[in-house]
Amino acid sequence: MTAKRHTVDDSIKQGEAVRKEYRQLYVSFILMLVLTALAFVAVASEKIPAGFVVPFLLFLALVQFLLQLIIFMHLNEKGTEYETLLVFCGFFVAILTVASLLYLIWW
């Protein structure tokens, strides 16, 4: 039985991967702040028509939600297929619930 030897090259590659992941997290966090600021500006601005603000806010919320799932919840990594499946099953159940409630309320 032989033990795996760690070389300096392995340590450098590991450090670069960690730096790349942190860089991606920082950029994503700044992007989330920008999307939130855009939402605040859209609501606070009186020059933007109200008919445009609501769909724009929903779009920003969807983009932010998907980015948070992919980046911060690490659903883009290998080995998370089961978790990804559970998340999308939850989406399906939520959409069915909202559609059912809307149907009961409006018809």
Side-chain angles (χ1 to χ4, degrees), residues 41-70:
V41 168
V43 170
S45 176
E46 295 179 4
K47 295 182 180 181
I48 300 175
F52 177 76
V53 171
V54 173
F56 183 66
L57 287 178
L58 290 174
F59 173 74
L60 289 178
L62 179 68
V63 169
Q64 197 166 13
F65 179 71
L66 291 175
L67 284 175
Q68 286 180 9
L69 277 179
I70 292 169

Side-chain angles (χ1 to χ4, degrees), residues 21-32:
E21 182 178 354
Y22 276 115
R23 188 177 326 120
Q24 183 182 21
L25 289 173
Y26 289 137
V27 168
S28 299
F29 179 69
I30 291 170
L31 182 61
M32 299 299 162

Side-chain angles (χ1 to χ4, degrees), residues 92-106:
F92 182 70
V93 169
I95 289 170
L96 281 178
T97 303
V98 169
S100 299
L101 291 174
L102 288 176
Y103 179 77
L104 287 174
I105 290 171
W106 283 335

